[in-house]
Amino acid sequence: MRPVLLSGGSGTRLWPLSREAYPKQFLPLVGEQTMLQATWERVGPLSGQAPIVVANESHRFLVAEQLRQVGAPVPRILLEPVGRNTAPAIAVAAMQALADGDDPLLLVLPSDHVVANVDAFRAAVREASPAAAGGALVTFGIVPTMPETGFGYIEADGAANGVRHVKRFVEKPDSATAQRYLDAGGYYWNSGMFLFRASRVLEELARFRPDVVAACRSAFDSAKRDGDFVRLEADAFAACPSDSIDYAVMERTDAAMVLPVDIGWNDVGSWSALWDVTERDAQGNAHHGDVIAVDSRNSYAYATKLVALVGVDDLVVVDTDDAVLVARKDKVQQVKDVVAQLKAAQRTQVALHREVHRPWGSYDSVDVGDGFQVKRIKVKPGASLSLQSHAHRAEHWIVVRGVARVTRNDDVYDLRANESTYIPIGAKHRLENPGTQMLELIEVQSGAYLGEDDIVRYDDVYGRTGNGA
Amino acid sequence: MRPVLLSGGSGTRLWPLSREAYPKQFLPLVGEQTMLQATWERVGPLSGQAPIVVANESHRFLVAEQLRQVGAPVPRILLEPVGRNTAPAIAVAAMQALADGDDPLLLVLPSDHVVANVDAFRAAVREASPAAAGGALVTFGIVPTMPETGFGYIEADGAANGVRHVKRFVEKPDSATAQRYLDAGGYYWNSGMFLFRASRVLEELARFRPDVVAACRSAFDSAKRDGDFVRLEADAFAACPSDSIDYAVMERTDAAMVLPVDIGWNDVGSWSALWDVTERDAQGNAHHGDVIAVDSRNSYAYATKLVALVGVDDLVVVDTDDAVLVARKDKVQQVKDVVAQLKAAQRTQVALHREVHRPWGSYDSVDVGDGFQVKRIKVKPGASLSLQSHAHRAEHWIVVRGVARVTRNDDVYDLRANESTYIPIGAKHRLENPGTQMLELIEVQSGAYLGEDDIVRYDDVYGRTGNGA
């Protein structure tokens, strides 16, 4: 059995914590691990095989780094130049599995869901395996606990226990219909988790959507292999129709089966869902960080600095370095309207956090003024920024932790904590961390233009070239 | 007529915008001027005389600087080592007025109230003047617009127009009583604004509270004159009983009169009161700064970065550099409970903003890490920090605007934008701005201990010595 982790989401329903460049699956929203890491840990012991991850090209270093941190076997990371929904993502994952010389069962999992009962989840996977091995396309249906209108439902054929044939898939119901489903039994939430053989899902997809398979085949066969990364060929993948595996295959195939599961599942699809899965105090408050609450109930607060709540009920307050959200818990679906407004205005808060992650570490713009900017820069042990120059800004670097190896034109020298240097406008320079601990330094930029695009790269160990951050 | 501006408040009801070291009267809460400045502008044209300001010792530079900015005549600033309520404050102001060689009418005004109708205010002062000149102690009573339970009331004697004798002062009523006052007419809100002759208020205070007058006389006669500042003698003033002018004099004297006024008065005593006096949009929202509101009504939001509101009604959201408040508008009185908790925990957010003001300018701690701190420092033209040294930290300075004159041990040199220097541990150093524009620099501190109290002062143009910030 081979895990397939779908990490293509750039969800903004948890904005401002989730941003396009660093979305939900990479955040430790519940517990200390990120959701991607928790997804791997849930499935790793079942399989022993390296996961296949399908991710957005811009998230490649996050995926690799986060899975490395939890000791996962080196994954195959299939990089989508654009998102095309789950049918193409699963198709290329299946092609990769077959290309690796085997025809394993694929355990397909979104990488941004919570499963509270991991034992029950693993037991369900084992229970579904014989059917999948026999050629069925098994989906895991969540036993509903309330008349939820935010999910699609799967109606099972017959009331027996265990893996059953699917009678039909139904769209998100209205609340009366959802109540009827709950009362009737035999209806399950569509969780987006699947178990099927690689060849079988490709076979069925080819029956119903040969165009999808053809486009994926072309993108996969022309992919560039680059270390762990498999870069799907951009034009072919972009030409692939966008479709979900549900529409493309599961709703049409006779091989669809469902295993009802009760595993403490939550898709964490909104701030109120996150409140649902977070431990709460006697007043119903779920608080993260430095929060003082007076006369307040049933609220979720995420604080990066001091947040004080006074007399508020059923509220979501999320404080980040560059944006604060305050929303009524029953109106959090409208967070998407805020994100849409920000996107229309080309505000940075849609895509980036103030702290921006790079393959070599991160930078955080801690102060900005007219003609200057102050950044805190972290460089991982052994990492190196590109050899670069700037046309419009000079930089002062003050090391506050670790060792910096500085290249400035023809000179190379090391700086330790409390030492500084100066990079004039136009100087070719490089920053490296030759040490074994994190390097931290303060950079003061000075110049008429301070945009990230004022950079010429001469050499980059991460394969990035030319202009642009 | 001489204005007396009472600026002793260190109100925290508008926390986190108002802090002990920089309270409400020094903030531009309504309009572009601070409340102290607006108070002066309201009264300046009536008088032509330099104001007497009674203020907390720690606010002396704020008072002087803010009044200088609006072109007020050089004020007398009486500095209270501790607050003792309005009776002692007015007593020392009256002593100062008499010591200046005259016996003027004193127009006593809190420096943190809003008066929307300045013309009506000035007309009222003129109307009250003959009575005050004749020996009456005139208070301005606000014609009530609703059955407010948060203020004391003044009952006038008789229903005639104009200045009338006071029948009685009444404490904050319950809501039924307040409604009765409103229906009956002849009851006015006690605004804390007065007009009386300096000698008359001292005479009446001496009749009822000779102990207050004696303590104030001692503190005033032994005061240290220091430029514009009159530093009341600390032990004598501390020994003075604390009392309001209402209790001490107005409720007891036969000379109390009231002039009912309708001047758009608001004491801005809470966030909801601030919402009341702030211009609002069609949805009833009053927003300051970068605020996006979706499906939200009747809210007040103050943003120092992006603040997004989703589906919220009747909410107060105040975002500052180091604290965020989210409060229901009808519960804002409980903000004091938050402040009390913070005070008990000795949190800096009670006393200081992240940007700390000093007589020479300000500093703002933009980033803090283990063993280092980054500050943005602003030095006013012509200003100078003390000659100082630090036992535990080194400092890197990078000038980003203006000119810095640096003294480092025996060397003195100037730095311009994009130039830097290094101050080793223990070096005697001074920073000055010899230029005509604001000097801004980035300071990176590095060391095992970075507290503000690691400072030895050798020389200070502002009379500050020894250790301490």
Side-chain angles (χ1 to χ4, degrees):
Chain A
M1 183 189 310
R2 189 141 186 209
V4 175
L5 310 185
L6 302 181
S7 179
S10 59
T12 47
R13 289 184 295 178
L14 295 185
W15 183 91
L17 222 49
S18 174
R19 312 270 173 113
E20 287 174 0
Y22 208 103
K24 181 183 158 199
Q25 60 268 33
F26 303 114
L27 297 171
L29 288 173
V30 180
E32 300 198 347
Q33 294 187 321
T34 71
M35 303 190 82
L36 173 68
Q37 290 173 330
T39 303
W40 163 254
E41 300 255 301
R42 193 181 305 142
V43 73
L46 279 173
S47 161
Q49 292 196 42
I52 297 170
V53 186
V54 187
N56 185 298
E57 199 269 348
S58 65
H59 299 149
R60 63 195 185 279
F61 296 110
L62 284 172
V63 171
E65 171 78 4
Q66 291 200 352
L67 289 178
R68 192 192 56 72
Q69 283 171 353
V70 291
V74 175
R76 293 276 188 190
I77 305 177
L78 305 185
L79 300 176
E80 299 178 316
V82 290
R84 284 290 177 260
N85 210 330
T86 49
I90 290 171
V92 293
M95 290 170 190
Q96 180 65 53
L98 292 166
D100 287 342
D102 205 357
D103 183 10
L105 295 186
L106 301 180
L107 178 57
V108 176
L109 301 172
S111 60
D112 59 354
H113 291 176
V114 162
V115 171
N117 191 341
V118 173
D119 288 341
F121 164 79
R122 290 178 185 157
V125 173
R126 289 190 198 97
E127 187 179 353
S129 294
L137 277 53
V138 183
T139 179
F140 297 89
I142 309 298
V143 177
T145 53
M146 55 181 190
E148 174 67 51
T149 60
F151 305 135
Y153 284 68
I154 301 164
E155 187 181 358
D157 196 6
N161 284 327
V163 180
R164 277 169 281 167
H165 282 283
V166 169
K167 190 165 178 184
R168 58 173 184 140
F169 283 74
V170 288
E171 297 284 335
K172 293 176 188 175
D174 61 26
S175 49
T177 308
Q179 185 64 53
R180 195 159 50 76
Y181 291 168
L182 186 65
D183 296 342
Y187 288 86
Y188 307 99
W189 293 337
N190 186 353
S191 69
M193 300 188 291
F194 304 96
L195 187 70
F196 36 56
R197 202 171 281 290
S199 58
R200 278 292 293 144
V201 70
L202 274 182
E203 192 174 273
E204 292 298 286
L205 185 60
R207 269 182 67 196
F208 302 111
R209 292 302 301 266
D211 53 340
V212 168
V213 172
C216 289
R217 172 58 64 194
S218 169
F220 182 78
D221 286 349
S222 306
K224 272 201 193 129
R225 272 75 186 172
D226 169 14
D228 310 339
F229 303 131
V230 178
R231 294 172 188 270
L232 299 166
E233 202 280 313
D235 291 339
F237 198 78
C240 182
S242 188
D243 203 0
S244 74
I245 195 73
D246 302 283
Y247 282 133
V249 174
M250 297 302 290
E251 298 189 7
R252 305 184 186 188
T253 176
D254 295 334
M257 302 193 81
V258 58
L259 177 62
V261 293
D262 183 2
I263 55 177
W265 175 87
N266 188 302
D267 76 337
V268 198
S270 69
W271 286 111
S272 60
L274 185 56
W275 177 81
D276 283 335
V277 297
T278 305
E279 200 176 334
R280 301 185 286 274
D281 65 18
Q283 284 72 46
N285 294 315
H287 292 164
H288 179 283
D290 187 8
V291 180
I292 291 180
V294 172
D295 189 20
S296 297
R297 278 161 296 274
N298 300 321
S299 286
Y300 181 89
Y302 183 99
T304 53
K305 58 178 175 294
L306 173 62
V307 169
L309 307 181
V310 174
V312 300
D313 298 343
D314 301 304
L315 209 64
V316 169
V317 178
V318 182
D319 158 61
T320 69
D321 286 331
D322 58 357
V324 179
L325 170 72
V326 180
R328 238 175 72 177
K329 194 139 52 73
D330 59 356
K331 301 275 187 88
V332 290
Q333 299 302 336
Q334 290 176 270
V335 168
K336 68 178 186 307
D337 299 341
V338 172
V339 174
Q341 279 191 43
L342 294 173
K343 201 156 187 165
Q346 298 186 295
R347 298 286 299 264
T348 58
Q349 286 96 337
V350 176
L352 299 175
H353 291 92
R354 205 186 68 176
E355 181 173 10
V356 177
H357 293 262
R358 291 282 183 249
W360 44 261
S362 66
Y363 64 84
D364 185 1
S365 180
V366 299
D367 197 21
V368 180
D370 190 14
F372 74 93
Q373 179 168 206
V374 183
K375 287 182 174 179
R376 190 208 287 213
I377 294 177
K378 295 182 193 170
V379 184
K380 296 174 188 170
S384 167
L385 282 70
S386 56
L387 182 66
Q388 57 189 239
S389 67
H390 310 294
H392 302 289
R393 69 175 186 258
E395 295 176 345
H396 296 258
W397 293 345
I398 300 104
V399 175
V400 296
R401 175 186 316 282
V403 183
R405 181 154 298 160
V406 177
T407 302
R408 187 177 64 180
N409 292 324
D410 296 331
D411 298 326
V412 179
Y413 46 95
D414 285 359
L415 299 177
R416 286 179 170 71
N418 202 22
E419 296 178 340
S420 66
T421 193
Y422 175 65
I423 310 292
I425 286 177
K428 270 195 197 181
H429 60 280
R430 184 197 285 277
L431 177 62
E432 294 169 83
N433 180 355
T436 55
Q437 64 161 321
M438 188 72 88
L439 161 66
E440 283 188 71
L441 59 82
I442 303 300
E443 173 179 277
V444 181
Q445 303 180 348
S446 183
Y449 177 74
L450 302 171
E452 287 297 319
D453 55 350
D454 174 17
I455 186 169
V456 179
R457 285 209 181 85
Y458 304 96
D459 177 46
D460 184 78
V461 297
Y462 308 100
R464 306 169 305 168
T465 50
N467 290 66
Chain B
M1 183 193 307
R2 189 142 187 209
V4 175
L5 310 184
L6 302 181
S7 178
S10 60
T12 47
R13 289 184 294 178
L14 295 186
W15 182 91
L17 221 50
S18 174
R19 312 271 173 113
E20 287 174 0
Y22 208 103
K24 179 185 159 199
Q25 61 267 34
F26 303 114
L27 298 171
L29 288 174
V30 181
E32 300 198 347
Q33 294 186 322
T34 71
M35 304 191 82
L36 173 68
Q37 290 174 331
T39 304
W40 162 255
E41 300 254 300
R42 193 180 305 143
V43 72
L46 280 173
S47 160
Q49 293 196 39
I52 297 170
V53 186
V54 187
N56 186 299
E57 199 269 348
S58 65
H59 299 148
R60 63 195 186 279
F61 295 110
L62 285 173
V63 171
E65 170 78 5
Q66 292 202 348
L67 291 178
R68 191 191 58 71
Q69 283 171 351
V70 290
V74 175
R76 293 276 188 189
I77 305 177
L78 305 185
L79 300 176
E80 299 179 317
V82 290
R84 284 293 177 257
N85 210 330
T86 50
I90 291 171
V92 293
M95 289 171 190
Q96 181 64 53
L98 292 166
D100 287 342
D102 204 358
D103 184 11
L105 294 186
L106 302 181
L107 177 57
V108 176
L109 301 172
S111 59
D112 58 354
H113 291 176
V114 162
V115 171
N117 190 340
V118 173
D119 288 342
F121 164 79
R122 289 178 185 156
V125 173
R126 289 191 198 95
E127 186 179 355
S129 294
L137 278 55
V138 183
T139 179
F140 297 89
I142 309 297
V143 177
T145 52
M146 55 180 189
E148 173 67 50
T149 59
F151 304 135
Y153 284 68
I154 301 164
E155 187 182 359
D157 196 7
N161 283 327
V163 181
R164 277 167 280 166
H165 283 281
V166 168
K167 190 166 178 183
R168 59 172 183 140
F169 283 74
V170 288
E171 296 283 337
K172 293 174 186 174
D174 60 27
S175 49
T177 308
Q179 187 63 53
R180 194 158 52 74
Y181 291 168
L182 186 65
D183 296 341
Y187 288 84
Y188 307 100
W189 292 338
N190 187 354
S191 71
M193 300 189 290
F194 304 96
L195 187 70
F196 37 57
R197 201 170 280 291
S199 58
R200 278 293 291 143
V201 71
L202 274 182
E203 191 173 274
E204 292 298 287
L205 185 59
R207 270 180 67 195
F208 301 111
R209 292 303 300 264
D211 53 340
V212 168
V213 173
C216 288
R217 174 58 64 194
S218 170
F220 182 77
D221 287 349
S222 307
K224 273 201 193 129
R225 272 75 185 172
D226 169 13
D228 311 340
F229 301 132
V230 179
R231 293 173 188 269
L232 298 166
E233 201 282 313
D235 291 340
F237 198 78
C240 182
S242 189
D243 204 2
S244 74
I245 195 72
D246 303 281
Y247 282 132
V249 174
M250 298 303 290
E251 298 189 4
R252 306 184 184 187
T253 176
D254 296 334
M257 300 193 80
V258 59
L259 176 62
V261 294
D262 184 2
I263 56 177
W265 174 88
N266 187 303
D267 76 336
V268 198
S270 69
W271 286 111
S272 61
L274 185 57
W275 177 82
D276 283 335
V277 297
T278 305
E279 200 176 334
R280 301 186 288 275
D281 65 19
Q283 285 72 45
N285 293 314
H287 292 165
H288 179 283
D290 187 8
V291 180
I292 291 180
V294 172
D295 189 18
S296 297
R297 279 161 295 274
N298 300 319
S299 286
Y300 181 90
Y302 183 100
T304 54
K305 57 178 175 294
L306 173 62
V307 170
L309 307 181
V310 174
V312 299
D313 298 343
D314 301 303
L315 208 65
V316 170
V317 177
V318 182
D319 158 60
T320 68
D321 286 331
D322 59 357
V324 178
L325 170 71
V326 181
R328 238 176 72 179
K329 194 138 54 70
D330 59 356
K331 300 275 187 88
V332 291
Q333 299 302 336
Q334 290 176 271
V335 169
K336 67 178 187 307
D337 299 342
V338 172
V339 174
Q341 279 192 43
L342 294 173
K343 201 157 186 165
Q346 299 185 294
R347 299 286 298 265
T348 59
Q349 287 95 337
V350 176
L352 299 175
H353 291 90
R354 205 186 68 175
E355 182 174 11
V356 176
H357 292 264
R358 291 283 182 248
W360 45 260
S362 66
Y363 64 84
D364 184 1
S365 180
V366 298
D367 196 21
V368 181
D370 190 13
F372 75 94
Q373 180 170 204
V374 184
K375 287 181 173 179
R376 189 208 288 215
I377 294 177
K378 295 182 192 170
V379 185
K380 297 173 187 170
S384 167
L385 280 71
S386 56
L387 182 67
Q388 58 188 239
S389 67
H390 310 294
H392 302 290
R393 70 175 187 254
E395 294 175 346
H396 297 257
W397 293 345
I398 300 103
V399 174
V400 295
R401 176 187 314 284
V403 183
R405 179 155 298 159
V406 177
T407 302
R408 186 177 64 180
N409 291 324
D410 297 330
D411 299 325
V412 179
Y413 47 96
D414 286 359
L415 299 177
R416 286 178 170 69
N418 203 20
E419 297 178 341
S420 66
T421 193
Y422 175 65
I423 310 292
I425 287 177
K428 271 194 196 182
H429 60 281
R430 185 197 284 279
L431 177 62
E432 295 168 83
N433 179 356
T436 55
Q437 64 161 319
M438 188 73 87
L439 160 66
E440 283 189 70
L441 58 83
I442 302 300
E443 173 179 278
V444 180
Q445 303 179 348
S446 182
Y449 178 75
L450 302 170
E452 287 297 317
D453 55 349
D454 174 17
I455 186 169
V456 178
R457 285 209 181 86
Y458 304 96
D459 178 46
D460 184 76
V461 297
Y462 308 100
R464 305 169 305 167
T465 52
N467 291 66

